[in-house]
Amino acid sequence: MAFLCIIEVLEGKIMKIAIYPGSFDPITKGHLDVLETGAEIFDKVIIAVAKNSAKHGFLTIDERVSLIREACAHLSNVEVDAFEGLTINYAKEKGATVLLRGLRAVSDFEYEMQLSQNNSALNNNIKTIFLITKPEYNFISSSSVREILLNGGDIAQFVPENVKKYLEQKFTN
Ligand code: ADP
């Protein structure tokens, strides 16, 4: 009887869905750490690659999506997607109430604050939540990974294993 009651309560509960948007060009261990913490907090996290027409990407959107999919295969409540247009509209379409972003240093703060205030001006029902990575991942950025890779450095400590393999195969021949 008690068991049935618990299931009813769980089924009656509205799922807390968070969107984790970004370029992920490529996904790094810092991104993955934010995603893993998000997956512990929320019922579902959708990690969504933004298609930005103004930015010419290093990897294609399909490559980024499939690398993310492999890297987070161990997270059962994470979905991987790509989207175009305003993040806030995409979040509403997906029934999300939270936008998840990562914060590294003070240098991220100003940009992230502006972004989150723009988003809440557009739709105040969707809140931005910031997570901070483990100190060892704090300095990692996709742009430094690209720079190190293209100059023959070892990217093993910055990106998940599958990403390292793929990038090295593609760019270091
Ligand atoms: P964008 O192009 O939108 O900044 P990114 O792919 O660079 O997308 O980053 C997505 C999110 O992850 C941003 O909120 C960014 O601050 C955060 N992020 C990136 N690298 C790290 C890291 N090493 N630790 C914590 N958060 C990070």
Side-chain angles (χ1 to χ4, degrees):
M1 237 5 193
F3 179 66
L4 281 179
C5 285
I6 289 168
I7 288 180
E8 269 180 32
V9 173
L10 280 176
E11 284 184 346
K13 195 181 110 199
I14 296 167
M15 281 235 290
K16 266 268 176 232
I17 302 172
I19 303 289
Y20 181 27
S23 310
F24 308 107
D25 194 18
I27 185 166
T28 67
K29 286 188 178 177
H31 292 133
L32 196 57
D33 188 50
V34 166
L35 184 64
E36 282 169 348
T37 308
E40 282 174 23
I41 300 171
F42 302 105
D43 298 315
K44 181 160 120 181
V45 179
I46 303 173
I47 176 165
V49 179
K51 297 181 188 171
N52 186 342
S53 51
K55 260 197 207 170
H56 184 70
F58 177 67
L59 296 173
T60 66
I61 300 291
D62 287 349
E63 285 176 312
R64 291 182 229 173
V65 165
S66 78
L67 289 174
I68 296 170
R69 222 166 245 146
E70 282 170 18
C72 69
H74 60 295
L75 301 169
S76 59
N77 60 338
V78 168
E79 262 179 43
V80 189
D81 197 11
F83 73 101
E84 240 168 330
L86 289 177
T87 308
I88 204 82
N89 291 347
Y90 172 75
K92 189 176 175 207
E93 204 181 283
K94 291 286 172 182
T97 50
V98 169
L99 291 180
L100 190 60
R101 296 286 288 176
L103 271 185
R104 281 165 293 195
V106 184
S107 51
D108 277 344
F109 181 76
E110 214 169 4
Y111 170 71
E112 291 291 342
M113 187 177 70
Q114 195 182 33
L115 202 62
S116 86
Q117 287 177 339
N118 281 334
N119 281 328
S120 57
L122 291 170
N123 184 342
N124 194 36
N125 295 320
I126 299 173
K127 313 287 182 191
T128 303
I129 289 184
F130 297 103
L131 290 175
I132 292 172
T133 39
K134 293 193 185 84
E136 63 265 38
Y137 300 144
N138 205 33
F139 61 95
I140 304 176
S141 68
S142 299
S143 59
S144 60
V145 167
R146 297 194 295 264
E147 204 56 37
I148 293 165
L149 173 82
L150 295 177
N151 288 290
D154 184 5
I155 56 169
Q157 57 180 311
F158 309 119
V159 294
E161 182 59 30
N162 68 304
V163 177
K164 171 185 149 70
K165 261 197 195 151
Y166 183 83
L167 293 181
E168 287 183 348
Q169 249 170 24
K170 183 167 176 179
F171 293 99
T172 58
N173 284 324

